[in-house]
Amino acid sequence: MLEKRRPRGLGAPLVPVRAPLDAEPRPARRRPTELATGAPVIGTRGGAQPYPVLSGLPTALPMLRADGGQLGGRWVAGASIAGQAHRAEGVTGQDSYCAGCCVDGSALVLAVCDGLGYREQTSQVGAELLARLCCAGAAWIVREQALAEGAEALVDAVEQATRRLIEWQRTHLAEWEPAGAHATVLVCRVPVSPDGGPALFARAGDTEAFLLRDDRYASVFPTGTSANDPLSHRNPRDVLEVTAVALDADALILTSDGLAHDIIESPRTREWLAARWSAPCGPHRMLDSLRYRRQSSDDDRTALVTWLHPYTGNSFDDTDPAPTDPR
């Protein structure tokens, strides 16, 4: 029999917290507060946004995700924000992103996926798995294979990822409908040196890729040519759009359709993002980049940005005017 023990007391008495700093006054009412942002507003903002509601799904994705750091000699940052309607209704976001390196170190492999909105119970699982399976497959495209086979090698990797997703669903979640894990996908292989092979892109659905140079954007895929069907598809080759491009730019931006639409349609948002991404940014700045507001914003926003020039810095500028604790 286990012996019952009294809970241990605190090792030291509680001490009063210092008074709040003048720069950050205590709220007058006990309600959630958020950090301010200088992000622009698209359209007419009709009052404050509704409070978010957490999803009760055990498979829900976080409402906010952000990353930033060195990868394969480049600086990569990603962020994803669930759409306003999802946050207000307690529905999980359905976007996912992934970044990795080829096994021979010759290139980065990047992916952005977006689950189908009307499959709100399950599609985020498909998007999450498909992004990682695509990167895992594309990581085996070494320099020699990319030079010899070109985009065909990337198509093979996406096909393999699709088959694995279908097998996983049939084995572990046979009660799901086949379309329950469908998602749009954009996957690419980005060389990290001039002799690292071609830059390869493949997509199914309405995800987008942009090249940013100074404040000018160029679409990797011709505007308006996105394939309509998502994956997993019985024959991925029927819906995949592939291309190889020269990376003559400062940054490569992969996006889901929610952000891509605003980049294309809103000049002010384009300018805001170009300014934010004119230099490598950390995860907090990356997340704040997507905090622009719009009158109606149901779609998730996801961006995975790779700065294409070699990153040689060994320090991070995290200037904070707040006073430090002398202890």
Side-chain angles (χ1 to χ4, degrees):
M1 180 181 294
L2 295 177
E3 180 183 353
K4 294 183 179 179
R5 297 182 180 181
R6 299 182 62 183
R8 279 195 323 189
L10 295 174
L14 296 176
V15 295
V17 178
R18 291 179 300 177
L21 300 174
D22 294 339
E24 190 177 347
R26 186 183 298 277
R29 292 182 291 174
R30 292 184 176 272
R31 60 183 180 86
T33 59
E34 184 55 276
L35 297 177
T37 180
V41 178
I42 302 175
T44 303
R45 189 181 179 194
Q49 298 185 24
Y51 284 138
V53 179
L54 293 177
S55 170
L57 288 175
T59 56
L61 296 176
M63 286 192 291
L64 306 176
R65 283 159 283 160
D67 292 280
Q70 299 180 63
L71 184 64
R74 299 294 185 271
W75 189 273
V76 179
S80 185
I81 298 179
Q84 182 176 321
H86 290 172
R87 286 179 279 138
E89 298 169 7
V91 177
T92 179
Q94 293 156 325
D95 284 3
S96 183
Y97 62 83
C98 186
C101 290
C102 287
V103 294
D104 66 344
S106 64
L108 303 181
V109 288
L110 312 167
V112 167
C113 292
D114 180 4
L116 304 185
Y118 63 88
R119 300 284 183 173
E120 60 186 32
Q121 300 291 317
T122 58
S123 66
Q124 73 279 3
V125 178
E128 188 85 347
L129 286 174
L130 191 56
R132 279 145 184 76
L133 289 171
C134 284
C135 279
W140 289 95
I141 305 175
V142 296
R143 173 182 175 275
E144 290 74 15
Q145 185 182 9
L147 289 170
E149 301 179 23
E152 183 67 19
L154 192 58
V155 171
D156 288 342
V158 176
E159 272 195 317
Q160 183 184 55
T162 301
R163 286 195 300 269
R164 288 182 173 178
L165 177 61
I166 293 173
E167 291 170 2
W168 178 88
Q169 180 182 342
R170 288 174 177 171
T171 302
H172 299 286
L173 290 170
E175 68 275 16
W176 285 13
E177 296 180 33
H182 282 189
T184 66
V185 60
L186 169 60
V187 59
C188 63
R189 179 190 186 277
V190 180
V192 296
S193 63
D195 62 349
L200 307 174
F201 295 80
R203 71 170 176 177
D206 50 9
T207 45
E208 291 283 356
F210 301 95
L211 293 172
L212 180 64
R213 185 171 184 176
D214 298 326
D215 58 350
R216 297 181 180 273
Y217 295 80
S219 296
V220 170
F221 296 94
T223 304
T225 63
S226 62
N228 292 324
D229 291 339
L231 297 178
S232 52
H233 190 275
R234 180 175 300 175
N235 187 358
R237 292 173 181 271
D238 290 345
V239 298
L240 278 174
E241 183 179 6
V242 297
T243 188
V245 300
L247 298 178
D248 184 19
D250 299 318
L252 169 66
I253 305 165
L254 308 185
T255 74
S256 59
D257 64 319
L259 179 59
H261 179 271
D262 292 333
I263 289 177
I264 294 170
E265 299 292 335
S266 172
R268 190 176 180 194
T269 302
R270 282 200 303 274
E271 295 170 2
W272 161 261
L273 294 175
R276 301 288 288 188
W277 298 338
S278 60
C281 60
H284 300 286
R285 181 177 175 86
M286 186 68 190
L287 190 61
D288 188 59
S289 300
L290 303 188
R291 287 183 64 196
Y292 63 88
R293 284 110 345 135
R294 61 177 300 151
Q295 189 171 6
S296 175
S297 181
D298 295 341
D299 284 337
D300 301 338
R301 300 174 192 165
T302 298
L304 185 59
V305 181
T306 302
W307 284 267
L308 298 173
H309 302 296
Y311 181 79
T312 57
N314 57 7
S315 61
F316 193 75
D317 184 7
D318 190 19
T319 305
D320 188 350
T324 57
D325 192 327
R327 296 177 297 174

